[in-house]
Amino acid sequence: MEIRIMKNILDRNQNKANEVRDMLASKKVVMVNIISSPGAGKTTLLERTLEEFRSKFRIGVIEGDITTDRDARRLQKFDIPIVVINTEGGCHLDSHSISKAIDSFDLDNLDILFVENVGNLICPSEFDLGESFKLAVVSTAEGDDKPGKYPMLFREARAVLLNKIDLIPYTNFELENFKTDLRNINAGIPLFEVSCTKGDGLKSWFDWINEQVKTSR
Amino acid sequence: MEIRIMKNILDRNQNKANEVRDMLASKKVVMVNIISSPGAGKTTLLERTLEEFRSKFRIGVIEGDITTDRDARRLQKFDIPIVVINTEGGCHLDSHSISKAIDSFDLDNLDILFVENVGNLICPSEFDLGESFKLAVVSTAEGDDKPGKYPMLFREARAVLLNKIDLIPYTNFELENFKTDLRNINAGIPLFEVSCTKGDGLKSWFDWINEQVKTSR
């Protein structure tokens, strides 16, 4: 019975996600659904990415947060449109809240919409938001075994950003183990090895995002 | 409607959790429900804790994992009873799976049962497993803003273990910010500042666990 109910919830979510996806495609807006564990560095990645692109692209952000607007406040300095969705305990965003949130954006004047999902490596992977693609962010401090232990996200994502590579010398993270684990789940998926706080490795990520926006036009 | 269904699920979970709690109390078994984000160090904490206590107490472990038995395999060397619960995509353990799992233990010959929940800072907090108490584990690499952003766990837990303090010099984690955030959510909650890989600070944790087992007798 619970499975049936869950299927209904997922079906309704999928229908609305399809509407969102059609709407964004008609406006040529790329939507990136950023998913990670708590504290893997989604907001810091957004800070770096906004610094790089805000003068090149028209950017909006949707900040998913359980109860605060702390992440949104960190991005206020960029003077771009930001909508906060508080899930009030909910463990993921869904397409209905995204659909309402995008009503607040001027889609005719937007190139890319970043969605920072709630910090959770599991539930957000199950809910299509109508995004162009999912980005999995994972921190080296979480250990090199995450793709195998949380396979759904790494299967669903179009790219993986491995953050905090500057911490590798101080942890038992083995890059080769991580890569092997990831390739077993999703061979050929692009992997960006970066440190968002130090700025290391971000150029390949920027080039790739640039390419995603250009090819959607 | 979804709220009503969720309430039914939680009510059924609560009823079974009460049964589990009564059963464990009658056998004087302490059950610790360990909750954290992915990769905060729950399994390494268990390794350290088993090394310390396996000759003093009779210990069992329930390993909650989405799809693998990797964490359980890390604990095999201790030669204690371990039961793996694979949630097959599920984002938390519930009291029904715990109830089935404890049937496999000889409760008359057990002092403490550690439950490693699925790596998730949100959903596991909502589901009472019948535990004696919840332990929140959080890594410094996740940032100092976690209590405020994920308040439910920090409100529900009886103690907080802050792991990976050895990484503080290489991150922008501010211990005072973390403590202030935590005190605002749950003033007076015990906080253990440790590094499970280096072994730092574990004595206070061991003393506290020792006390929990002793007072339950």
Side-chain angles (χ1 to χ4, degrees):
Chain A
M1 199 190 76
E2 282 166 32
I3 289 167
R4 168 80 168 281
I5 290 161
M6 190 63 194
K7 189 175 177 318
N8 288 345
I9 292 173
L10 284 172
D11 284 348
R12 280 210 307 280
N13 183 75
Q14 192 60 58
N15 293 339
K16 183 58 80 174
N18 295 344
E19 279 177 32
V20 169
R21 185 168 283 112
D22 290 346
M23 161 71 95
L24 293 175
S26 74
K27 302 288 187 181
K28 298 190 188 312
V29 176
V30 173
M31 183 164 105
V32 188
N33 180 1
I34 308 175
I35 300 177
S36 84
S37 300
K42 295 183 292 305
T43 315
T44 311
L45 173 68
L46 279 176
E47 289 177 308
R48 292 298 188 213
T49 306
L50 293 175
E51 281 162 14
E52 175 70 14
F53 285 116
R54 68 173 161 165
S55 58
K56 295 176 195 156
F57 297 136
R58 297 162 300 176
I59 307 178
V61 172
I62 295 176
E63 277 292 346
D65 227 320
I66 292 179
T67 183
T68 74
D69 62 354
R70 289 185 188 185
D71 293 340
R73 277 191 275 132
R74 287 174 56 189
L75 303 180
Q76 267 178 342
K77 60 190 172 207
F78 293 106
D79 197 25
I80 58 161
I82 302 174
V83 173
V84 177
I85 301 176
N86 277 146
T87 63
E88 307 300 345
C91 53
H92 61 85
L93 294 175
D94 64 29
S95 59
H96 293 84
S97 54
I98 292 293
S99 173
K100 276 180 210 142
I102 60 177
D103 284 345
S104 309
F105 292 93
D106 175 8
L107 296 180
D108 290 316
N109 284 300
L110 206 63
D111 298 309
I112 186 159
L113 182 57
F114 290 104
V115 178
E116 179 172 346
N117 217 312
V118 175
N120 183 338
L121 216 49
I122 308 168
C123 319
S125 319
E126 293 189 63
F127 286 80
D128 186 355
L129 305 182
E131 69 270 350
S132 312
F133 58 87
K134 293 181 177 69
L135 171 74
V137 176
V138 59
S139 140
T140 60
E142 293 172 59
D144 51 34
D145 59 353
K146 291 301 152 294
K149 289 189 63 185
Y150 301 84
M152 188 170 182
L153 172 60
F154 296 92
R155 219 176 273 134
E156 292 263 324
R158 186 177 295 176
V160 173
L161 190 131
L162 177 66
N163 192 22
K164 310 193 189 182
I165 55 167
D166 56 308
L167 295 183
I168 291 179
Y170 315 111
T171 65
N172 48 24
F173 183 93
E174 296 286 346
L175 188 55
E176 281 314 308
N177 293 352
F178 179 83
K179 286 182 177 173
T180 303
D181 221 32
L182 180 61
R183 299 306 175 214
N184 286 339
I185 300 291
N186 192 337
I189 189 171
L191 171 65
F192 305 104
E193 301 163 30
V194 310
S195 165
C196 289
T197 55
K198 307 288 183 201
D200 302 335
L202 286 168
K203 191 176 175 306
S204 335
W205 157 249
F206 294 151
D207 289 348
W208 188 82
I209 276 289
N210 197 50
E211 198 58 31
Q212 306 301 311
V213 177
K214 290 281 164 64
T215 56
S216 81
R217 279 171 174 173
Chain B
M1 199 190 76
E2 282 166 33
I3 290 167
R4 169 77 168 283
I5 292 161
M6 188 64 193
K7 191 177 176 312
N8 288 345
I9 292 173
L10 285 172
D11 283 349
R12 281 210 307 279
N13 183 75
Q14 191 60 57
N15 292 339
K16 185 57 81 174
N18 295 343
E19 280 177 31
V20 170
R21 184 168 287 113
D22 289 347
M23 160 72 93
L24 294 175
S26 74
K27 302 288 187 181
K28 297 192 190 310
V29 175
V30 172
M31 181 164 106
V32 187
N33 180 2
I34 308 176
I35 301 177
S36 83
S37 301
K42 295 183 291 306
T43 314
T44 310
L45 174 67
L46 279 176
E47 290 177 307
R48 292 298 188 211
T49 306
L50 293 176
E51 281 162 15
E52 176 70 17
F53 285 115
R54 68 173 161 163
S55 58
K56 295 176 195 156
F57 298 134
R58 297 162 300 175
I59 308 179
V61 172
I62 296 176
E63 276 292 344
D65 227 320
I66 292 178
T67 185
T68 74
D69 62 354
R70 289 186 188 185
D71 293 340
R73 277 192 277 130
R74 287 173 58 188
L75 304 181
Q76 267 177 342
K77 62 189 171 207
F78 294 107
D79 196 26
I80 58 161
I82 302 175
V83 172
V84 176
I85 301 175
N86 277 144
T87 61
E88 306 300 344
C91 52
H92 61 85
L93 295 176
D94 64 29
S95 58
H96 293 83
S97 55
I98 292 292
S99 173
K100 275 179 213 144
I102 60 177
D103 283 345
S104 308
F105 292 93
D106 175 9
L107 297 180
D108 290 317
N109 285 300
L110 205 62
D111 298 309
I112 187 160
L113 182 58
F114 289 104
V115 178
E116 180 171 347
N117 218 310
V118 176
N120 183 339
L121 216 48
I122 307 170
C123 318
S125 319
E126 293 190 63
F127 286 80
D128 187 354
L129 305 183
E131 68 271 350
S132 312
F133 58 87
K134 293 182 176 69
L135 172 73
V137 177
V138 59
S139 140
T140 60
E142 294 173 58
D144 51 34
D145 59 354
K146 291 300 153 295
K149 289 188 66 186
Y150 301 84
M152 189 171 180
L153 173 60
F154 297 91
R155 219 177 273 134
E156 293 264 323
R158 186 178 295 176
V160 174
L161 190 131
L162 177 66
N163 192 20
K164 310 193 189 182
I165 56 166
D166 56 307
L167 294 183
I168 292 180
Y170 315 110
T171 65
N172 49 23
F173 183 92
E174 296 285 345
L175 188 55
E176 282 313 308
N177 292 352
F178 179 83
K179 287 182 176 176
T180 303
D181 223 32
L182 181 60
R183 298 308 175 213
N184 285 338
I185 300 291
N186 192 337
I189 189 172
L191 170 65
F192 305 104
E193 301 164 30
V194 311
S195 165
C196 289
T197 56
K198 308 288 182 197
D200 303 333
L202 286 168
K203 191 174 177 305
S204 336
W205 159 248
F206 295 152
D207 289 347
W208 188 82
I209 276 290
N210 197 50
E211 198 58 33
Q212 305 302 310
V213 177
K214 291 281 165 66
T215 55
S216 81
R217 279 171 175 171

